[in-house]
């Protein structure tokens, strides 16, 4: 649900901070005070199109921040937020959305501090809010949502999950069959290519670590003469041959003897004597290592040529089949597997065809079961809807749910083989039509309310917003609408703009919206009313004589909260 809303510099709203109750929140006030701007702000944070003209005159940007309490058990919303990496704290049950509109026209949106595009806002908004305004439409107007609503009403969740699991397997089998059912010419071409590739790779007999060893060997062979000269020079430095003065070993020996003499007199220098002795021993070992290294060096142009040819082959195979020897070897294994599949294509195809037919039978049975439960649920929904419409003074209205069953040739979809759509005939003689084609106004508002009330258990969107749902209806119907919204608010948070006191009397939280002119500027002010303020506001909505209307306001409040329609 929507917990908090902060608005800055949007149209005539300069600064506004609101907190909302879980139940029935009502906004009242004179026309033009800014009530619809508040709902526009909510629409903006869930992805509505922005316009630079919305920015308050004299400022460079407008900003809206909304804090929502979210249900962590909402699998659809949770998986979407995780996929988009928008959850910083998996234990948090709050979601913060901000929208900033710049005067030059640019818009910036953030979810939990992460910058997102408007498309993501809309995806999130579909799970948080359902807005019905004078020019907006509810998700119920979209036929694509009708099957889901009927399924939830029918309790088809487990059945639908079972059907979709079978459907995923069925589609996977079809994809495998399509891959196998290529033309014989294509299969032959693939087989020849795979045989060539496998033969080339097998004859190369690559090993994962050989490239590094070959590179080192190539460098030694290519520089054998220089390496030998350097090794001999190092030996000469150590032994003192061919250089002026004593060699390093001779000097080290003299150093060792001198320090040993010191340590015999001063035992505290024993450690140094031992360290120098270790150095002398290491230097002697170095001479042996250098002699062995020099003896093993060879200048072999033929061997160098063979090593370079091998490295060239490795480079060529890496370029053709992967960026590393490991990738080339993986390509070889995959090629062998693909060739085996082609060699056994007929056998595999027969097995897949059998599995396809078995899955088709299971899917058909599950789709038929879905159709059956939907028809049963549809009958109940139709009955409830016509009762709701009758309560809302649409006595002659007819409601129906068209279910077109797919035959044996129909494709399996995520929702089975049925096509569902809600139909309405608001007036006698008009005939049933899709919801999206019915007239707007009070009729539409009442229909939407009836649908919402009927499908309240099935509709899992937590917050519903109605902008002037009382358009075109009178006080008597307004009381009925208020009663319906109050009942709906037991399972959903409701935000409603209204001009009817009969409807507003059912509120759990009442906001009065007014506009003031200060320093030559118009600004919107919103006050959350206490019980006495609520009573006074309802009386003012009834007429100019507040004193006379207070008694009527008291009666409406009593009736609204004691189960009687005023």
């Amino acid at each position: 649900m929507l917990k908090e809303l902060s608005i800055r510099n949007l149209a005539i709203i300069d600064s506004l901070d609101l907190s909302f109750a879980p139940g029935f929140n009502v906004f009242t006030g004179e026309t033009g005070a800014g009530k619809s701007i508040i709902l526009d702000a909510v629409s903006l944070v869930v992805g509505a199109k922005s316009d630079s003209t919305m920015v308050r005159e004299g400022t460079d940007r407008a900003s809206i921040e909304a804090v929502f309490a979210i249900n962590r058990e909402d699998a659809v919303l949770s998986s979407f937020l995780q996929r988009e990496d928008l959850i910083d704290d998996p234990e948090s049950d709050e979601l913060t959305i901000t929208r900033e509109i710049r005067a030059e026209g640019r818009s910036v949106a953030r979810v939990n501090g992460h910058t997102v595009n408007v498309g993501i806002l809309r995806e999130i908004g579909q799970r948080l809010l359902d807005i019905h305004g004078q020019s907006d439409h509810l998700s119920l107007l979209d036929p694509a949502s009708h099957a889901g609503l009927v399924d939830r009403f029918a309790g088809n969740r487990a059945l639908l999950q079972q059907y979709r699991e079978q459907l995923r397997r069925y589609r996977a089998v079809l994809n495998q069959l399509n891959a196998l059912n290529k033309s014989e010419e294509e299969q032959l071409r693939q087989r020849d290519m795979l045989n060539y590739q496998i033969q080339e790779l097998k004859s190369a007999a690559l090993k994962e670590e050989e490239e590094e060893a070959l590179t080192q060997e190539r460098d030694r062979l290519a520089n054998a003469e220089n390496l030998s000269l350097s090794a001999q020079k190092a030996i000469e430095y150590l032994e003192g041959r061919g250089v002026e003065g004593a060699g390093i070993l001779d000097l080290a020996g003299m150093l060792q003897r001198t320090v040993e003499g010191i340590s015999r007199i001063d035992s505290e220098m024993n450690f140094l004597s031992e360290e120098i002795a270790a150095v002398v021993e290491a230097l002697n070992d170095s001479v042996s290592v250098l002699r062995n290294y020099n003896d093993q060096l060879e200048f072999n142009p033929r061997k160098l040529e063979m090593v370079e040819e091998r490295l060239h082959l490795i480079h060529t195979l890496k370029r053709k089949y992967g960026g590393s020897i490991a990738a080339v070897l993986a390509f070889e294994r995959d090629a062998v597997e693909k060739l085996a599949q082609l060699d056994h294509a007929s056998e595999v195809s027969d097995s897949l065809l059998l599995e396809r037919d078995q899955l088709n039978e299971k899917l058909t049975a599950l789709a038929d079961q879905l159709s059956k439960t939907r028809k049963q649920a549809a009958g109940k929904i139709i009955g409830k809807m016509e009762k709701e419409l009758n309560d809302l003074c649409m006595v002659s209205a007819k409601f129906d749910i068209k279910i077109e069953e797919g035959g044996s040739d129909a494709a399996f979809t995520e929702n089975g083989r049925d096509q569902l759509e809600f139909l309405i005939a608001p007036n006698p003689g008009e005939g049933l039509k899709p919801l999206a084609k019915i007239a707007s106004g009070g009729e539409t508002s009442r229909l939407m309310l009836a649908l919402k009330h009927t499908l309240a258990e099935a509709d899992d969107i937590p917050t519903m917003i109605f902008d002037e749902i009382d358009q075109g209806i009178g006080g008597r119907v307004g009381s009925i609408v208020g009663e319906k919204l109050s009942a709906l608010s037991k399972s959903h948070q409701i935000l409603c703009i209204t001009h009817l006191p009969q409807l507003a009397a059912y509120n759990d939280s009442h906001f009065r919206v007014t506009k003031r002119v200060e320093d030559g500027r118009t600004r919107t002010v919103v006050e959350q009313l206490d019980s006495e303020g609520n009573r006074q506001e309802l009386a003012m909505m009834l007429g100019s004589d507040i004193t006379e209307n207070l008694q009527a306001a008291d009666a409406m409040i009593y009736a609204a909260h004691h189960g009687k329609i005023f």
Side-chain angles (χ1 to χ4, degrees):
M1 71 166 209
L2 178 60
K3 293 177 65 176
E4 299 172 7
L5 181 68
S6 297
I7 306 171
R8 299 290 183 272
N9 300 322
L10 185 70
I12 59 172
I13 298 176
D14 58 350
S15 179
L16 188 60
D17 296 293
L18 299 173
S19 297
F20 297 103
F24 188 13
N25 296 266
V26 166
F27 291 84
T28 61
E30 63 187 41
T31 300
K35 300 185 298 299
S36 292
I37 298 173
I38 296 171
L39 298 194
D40 287 342
V42 177
S43 299
L44 285 167
V45 296
V46 291
K49 186 177 180 180
S50 64
D51 190 326
S52 60
T53 59
M54 297 175 172
V55 179
R56 184 172 171 81
E57 187 69 29
T59 63
D60 62 352
R61 69 191 66 190
S63 64
I64 308 104
E65 179 175 285
V67 179
F68 294 90
I70 58 174
N71 180 7
R72 284 183 294 184
E73 295 180 1
D74 185 338
V76 176
L77 179 60
S78 295
S79 63
F80 180 82
L81 293 173
Q82 289 172 356
R83 185 172 72 248
E84 298 296 332
D85 196 22
L86 299 175
I87 298 180
D88 294 326
D89 179 6
E91 299 300 317
S92 175
D93 58 1
E94 286 190 352
L95 186 73
T96 301
I97 302 178
T98 58
R99 185 85 181 271
E100 189 177 273
I101 305 162
R102 308 282 174 82
E104 72 272 14
R106 194 161 68 92
S107 171
V108 179
R110 295 182 180 85
V111 176
N112 285 340
H114 301 275
T115 302
V116 298
N117 59 45
V118 175
I120 288 178
L121 286 191
R122 294 194 187 105
E123 288 280 343
I124 296 172
Q126 289 175 3
R127 298 299 305 170
L128 297 176
L129 296 171
D130 207 351
I131 302 175
H132 178 55
Q134 297 173 64
S135 59
D136 297 310
H137 63 277
L138 289 168
S139 60
L140 287 168
L141 294 179
D142 182 5
S145 69
H146 297 173
L149 288 169
V150 174
D151 282 332
R152 288 200 293 272
F153 188 90
N156 281 343
R157 182 176 180 178
L159 178 60
L160 198 58
Q161 183 177 357
Q162 184 182 358
Y163 167 85
R164 287 172 177 168
E165 287 174 357
Q166 295 294 321
L167 180 60
R168 281 193 290 273
R169 178 58 192 157
Y170 179 72
R171 287 173 173 172
V173 169
L174 290 182
N175 288 335
Q176 288 176 276
L177 281 170
N178 288 335
L180 287 174
N181 290 336
K182 293 179 179 178
S183 67
E184 292 184 5
E185 182 180 346
E186 173 64 16
Q187 288 189 26
L188 181 60
R189 188 195 65 78
Q190 274 195 314
R191 187 176 284 106
D192 289 344
M193 175 61 74
L194 289 169
N195 274 319
Y196 169 80
Q197 292 171 335
I198 292 168
Q199 184 58 38
E200 183 179 31
L201 292 169
K202 283 190 178 298
S203 63
L206 297 183
K207 297 178 182 177
E208 286 202 28
E209 306 299 331
E210 71 171 312
E211 185 176 16
E212 183 178 353
L214 285 168
T215 301
Q216 291 177 352
E217 186 174 6
R218 180 196 61 190
D219 293 343
R220 276 197 302 272
L221 289 168
N223 296 279
E225 187 174 354
N226 290 332
L227 290 172
S228 178
L229 290 173
S230 296
Q232 292 173 22
K233 196 70 173 176
I235 293 169
E236 291 174 359
Y237 282 133
L238 286 166
E239 293 183 338
R241 290 184 290 105
V243 296
E244 294 183 4
I248 294 173
L249 283 172
D250 292 334
L251 292 172
M254 288 187 286
L255 173 63
Q256 181 182 11
R257 289 189 292 274
T258 301
V259 175
E260 284 176 349
I262 296 172
S263 63
R264 281 194 292 271
I265 299 171
D266 187 352
S267 60
E268 288 186 2
M269 295 298 287
N270 283 340
F271 78 95
L272 183 59
S273 178
E274 292 171 357
E275 289 180 357
I276 292 173
V279 170
V280 172
E281 184 178 356
L283 289 170
N284 280 303
D285 290 342
S286 299
V287 174
S288 298
V289 171
L290 285 166
R291 289 188 190 281
N292 290 334
Y293 175 74
N294 191 43
D295 291 342
Q296 292 173 9
L297 287 172
E298 60 176 327
F299 179 69
N300 189 336
R302 176 58 188 152
K303 188 174 183 180
L304 175 60
E305 182 180 352
M306 291 172 62
V307 170
E308 287 180 335
E309 287 177 356
R310 181 66 176 175
L311 284 170
H312 177 71
L313 174 62
I314 292 172
H315 176 74
T316 300
L317 294 177
K318 282 167 56 178
R319 188 180 68 250
K320 290 173 67 175
Y321 302 116
S324 64
I325 291 180
V328 174
L329 294 173
F331 183 94
E332 180 182 355
R333 290 191 296 270
D334 187 52
V336 170
E337 184 178 343
K338 286 179 179 178
L339 184 60
Q341 289 177 352
L342 286 174
D343 290 339
H344 299 88
S346 177
E347 180 183 338
V348 173
S349 178
D350 290 343
S351 174
L352 288 172
L353 285 170
L354 177 61
E355 186 176 3
R356 181 202 63 184
D357 293 341
Q358 292 172 342
L359 287 167
N360 189 288
E361 289 181 10
K362 291 178 182 178
L363 282 171
T364 298
L366 291 169
D368 290 344
Q369 194 174 347
L370 282 169
S371 294
K372 182 179 178 180
T373 57
R374 285 165 178 165
K375 287 178 183 177
Q376 293 171 346
K380 296 177 183 178
I381 292 171
I382 291 167
K384 286 189 174 185
M385 270 297 296
E386 294 191 346
K387 180 181 181 302
E388 291 290 332
L389 293 172
N390 184 67
D391 290 345
L392 292 166
C393 300
M394 293 179 69
V395 181
S396 302
K398 297 295 180 184
F399 180 83
D400 197 10
I401 300 176
K402 181 174 71 173
I403 301 178
E404 293 183 354
E405 292 185 64
S408 58
D409 295 333
F412 294 110
T413 70
E414 288 293 320
N415 293 316
R417 294 193 297 190
D418 301 331
Q419 297 292 326
L420 281 76
E421 187 168 16
F422 294 165
L423 306 176
I424 185 72
N427 302 301
E430 290 187 359
L432 291 162
K433 296 178 183 178
L435 298 191
K437 296 182 179 179
I438 63 171
S440 60
E443 203 170 64
T444 306
S445 299
R446 281 181 280 173
L447 172 63
M448 292 301 103
L449 179 59
L451 279 166
K452 285 295 185 185
H453 200 260
T454 299
L455 301 173
E457 294 180 4
D459 195 339
D460 56 357
I461 297 175
T463 299
M464 300 179 186
I465 298 177
F466 297 90
D467 185 1
E468 299 191 13
I469 193 173
D470 53 15
Q471 181 184 1
I473 62 177
R476 172 67 179 173
V477 177
S479 294
I480 299 171
V481 170
E483 185 181 38
K484 299 289 184 185
L485 288 174
S486 179
L488 193 58
S489 71
K490 300 300 185 289
S491 56
H492 299 73
Q493 182 191 43
I494 305 295
L495 274 65
C496 178
I497 289 176
T498 182
H499 293 286
L500 285 178
Q502 293 86 349
L503 190 160
Y506 285 84
N507 74 80
D508 294 313
S509 185
H510 191 163
F511 297 88
R512 179 170 58 204
V513 184
T514 58
K515 62 180 178 180
R516 299 175 185 171
V517 178
E518 298 175 355
D519 299 324
R521 297 294 303 277
T522 303
R523 60 188 296 265
T524 293
V525 177
V526 180
E527 179 185 3
Q528 185 170 4
L529 304 176
D530 57 16
S531 57
E532 179 59 26
N534 176 54
R535 177 172 175 259
Q536 293 282 340
E537 177 69 5
L538 293 176
M540 285 190 289
M541 292 172 72
L542 284 166
S544 57
D545 192 338
I546 297 176
T547 303
E548 183 179 329
N549 293 333
L550 280 173
Q551 186 175 358
D554 290 336
M556 284 191 297
I557 294 170
Y558 180 85
H561 295 279
H562 292 80
K564 295 181 180 180
I565 297 177
F566 175 69

